[in-house]
Amino acid sequence: MGLVDVGTVVLTGLYAYCLFSSQPDVQELEEDVKLTGTMESTGRLVELSCQTCRKLKRHREIERNLFECTKCRRRIDLR
């Protein structure tokens, strides 16, 4: 019984690590590559609420305090 308990704890730990590890979503990365054509980032990425998508989405900073949604390309000016 002790070996089963150890195995359960190890598998639970691996599952939690995989679940909470911070890796970018593949779908959002593919959308970004389709829109920009490159994998290079040209500004910092922040997560803001997009009014068009009505969800929290990644926005790329174009100029200082001017952000563009990576999905729908809507610009948000925070100046």
Side-chain angles (χ1 to χ4, degrees):
M1 233 13 199
L3 189 57
V4 172
D5 293 335
V6 170
T8 302
V9 169
V10 169
L11 287 177
T12 303
L14 285 173
Y15 177 72
Y17 174 75
C18 292
L19 185 64
F20 295 115
S21 64
S22 60
Q23 296 179 358
D25 294 332
V26 174
Q27 182 182 7
E28 289 183 14
L29 184 60
E30 288 176 357
E31 289 174 358
D32 191 34
V33 169
K34 287 179 187 175
L35 291 175
T36 61
T38 65
M39 289 195 63
E40 298 177 10
S41 61
T42 58
R44 67 182 175 144
L45 289 173
V46 295
E47 213 168 281
L48 297 171
S49 178
C50 183
Q51 294 176 351
T52 304
C53 302
R54 296 186 181 208
K55 294 182 182 178
L56 284 176
K57 291 290 181 180
R58 290 186 181 173
H59 289 71
R60 175 165 283 120
E61 186 175 32
I62 299 171
E63 295 176 10
R64 186 169 181 221
N65 293 327
L66 178 64
F67 298 93
E68 183 177 54
C69 180
T70 56
K71 184 176 180 185
C72 68
R73 311 290 267 180
R74 181 183 176 123
R75 293 187 175 185
I76 298 174
D77 191 4
L78 300 178
R79 295 181 221 171

